Amino acid sequence: MKHVVMFSGGIGSWAAAKLVAKEHGTENLYLVFTDVKGDAKSPHIGEDEDTYRFLNDAVANIGGHYIYLNEGRDIWQVFKDKKFLGNSRVAHCSHILKQKPARAWVNKNIDPKDSIIYVGIDWTETHRLPAIIKNYLPYKVIAPLTEPPYLDKPQLIEWAISESLAPPRLYSLGFSHNNCGGGCVRAGQGQFKKLLETMPERFTMWEQKEQEVREHLNKDVAILSEMKNGIKRPLPLIELRRRVEDQPQLVDADDIGGCGCFFEDDERQDDE
């Protein structure tokens, strides 16, 4: 039996893999990571640089076979190619750069008759499980962290530290996930506010790349949105910056969001 963990670079997928390794060993354990940084010549930030350190340390801690995949584009190239800027409702970036390469590798290398797919969602995310199971058919899917003893993220981080494994640095900076260097098109106002306050240069990159896509599409679109007078309207990052700096009371700091890159079921998904 082969055991395939969708290894996102977050603390949840590490913990899920640890549980699988404990129960089934590591001889037939596969840790599948898909990168979003683009090709080697791409200058644009995708994953946080500490993610690669964590991945290497995590694989050494767990054991098994590490599978590295890279579609070749970054998220901004995908948005231009698809002529659509990703947002909280539709994230083509995760579908094209994460889900499709991982599923292609699974289809080519893993027989559903003698394999199990594992994902790192925890007990607070069980509402995602039906869609995950459906998306991975005919493969069987298990989410170990949705089962007892129901550990939460702080406990998972403590577990990693107890094994001398330093968690991804974004958690210590106050981010709720380790996706896309602290950004993410599914993130909310609060997430990007934190990005601006903790890593202003990286926020500026997101701000500039968003504006490039807006100009490329010649449309008033944005990653973020807001309701104004009962109407949903785009909220560009350049405007969010102005509010954080001049009118912080207008920023919804509790709006965090975050992507489930390996298993979201978008309202709109195109095959490319």
Side-chain angles (χ1 to χ4, degrees):
M1 182 70 71
K2 293 182 178 180
H3 304 276
V4 181
V5 180
M6 293 300 142
F7 210 52
S8 68
I11 198 69
S13 62
W14 167 78
K18 285 290 287 186
L19 293 173
V20 175
K22 180 179 179 181
E23 182 174 355
H24 301 286
T26 60
E27 181 178 357
N28 292 307
L29 176 64
Y30 298 83
L31 310 175
V32 181
F33 172 73
T34 52
D35 205 341
V36 299
K37 71 177 180 180
D39 61 32
K41 298 179 180 179
S42 175
H44 311 314
I45 295 173
E47 309 288 350
D48 182 68
E49 53 267 36
D50 188 56
T51 296
Y52 304 104
R53 185 278 312 164
F54 175 73
L55 286 166
N56 290 332
D57 291 351
V59 172
N61 173 265
I62 298 166
H65 308 277
Y66 178 44
I67 308 299
Y68 174 88
L69 305 173
N70 187 343
E71 195 266 359
R73 289 176 287 179
D74 62 30
I75 67 172
W76 309 105
Q77 292 166 331
V78 167
F79 297 152
K80 289 180 179 179
D81 291 344
K82 297 294 290 183
K83 297 180 173 59
F84 188 94
L85 178 61
N87 55 51
S88 62
R89 185 177 62 85
V90 180
H92 286 308
C93 46
S94 64
H95 177 59
I96 292 172
L97 302 182
K98 286 281 189 181
Q99 297 165 13
K100 290 183 68 175
R103 184 58 186 262
W105 184 88
V106 167
N107 289 346
K108 181 179 179 180
N109 296 281
I110 306 296
D111 187 340
K113 296 179 182 178
D114 63 358
S115 62
I116 301 174
I117 307 292
Y118 300 86
V119 294
I121 66 169
D122 64 32
W123 59 274
T124 68
E125 305 169 291
T126 54
H127 60 283
R128 290 177 165 178
L129 202 50
I132 299 171
I133 292 172
K134 176 182 176 182
N135 290 345
Y136 274 107
L137 289 173
Y139 296 90
K140 179 180 180 181
V141 175
I142 294 178
L145 298 178
T146 64
E147 302 171 356
Y150 303 121
L151 301 176
D152 57 25
K153 190 162 291 184
Q155 290 173 311
L156 300 181
I157 290 174
E158 290 178 7
W159 179 11
I161 293 173
S162 74
E163 299 210 6
S164 299
L165 175 63
R169 67 168 185 154
L170 290 185
Y171 295 125
S172 65
L173 293 174
F175 291 89
S176 62
H177 60 72
N178 192 41
N179 298 336
C180 282
C184 182
V185 297
R186 289 192 184 277
Q189 295 181 32
Q191 175 91 15
F192 278 102
K193 177 178 182 290
K194 180 171 289 295
L195 186 64
L196 175 58
E197 293 170 343
T198 57
M199 292 180 280
E201 292 183 1
R202 188 164 298 178
F203 181 93
T204 297
M205 185 279 294
W206 276 81
E207 182 181 37
Q208 293 173 344
K209 299 307 294 183
E210 180 190 60
Q211 186 60 31
E212 284 182 19
V213 176
R214 284 165 56 85
E215 293 174 0
H216 178 77
L217 299 178
N218 193 27
K219 292 181 179 179
D220 182 21
V221 293
I223 294 169
L224 301 174
S225 63
E226 65 176 351
M227 294 297 294
K228 191 171 184 178
N229 298 324
I231 299 175
K232 189 175 183 179
R233 60 179 291 274
L235 177 61
L237 292 175
I238 191 170
E239 170 63 16
L240 182 74
R241 174 196 290 274
R242 186 193 65 77
R243 294 185 186 183
V244 170
E245 294 174 346
D246 301 332
Q247 296 177 291
Q249 72 277 9
L250 298 181
V251 178
D252 184 358
D254 295 325
D255 179 19
I256 301 300
C259 195
C261 290
F262 274 118
F263 40 78
E264 292 289 0
D265 186 15
D266 285 334
E267 296 179 22
R268 171 177 151 186
Q269 292 288 15
D270 302 332
D271 286 329
E272 180 177 286

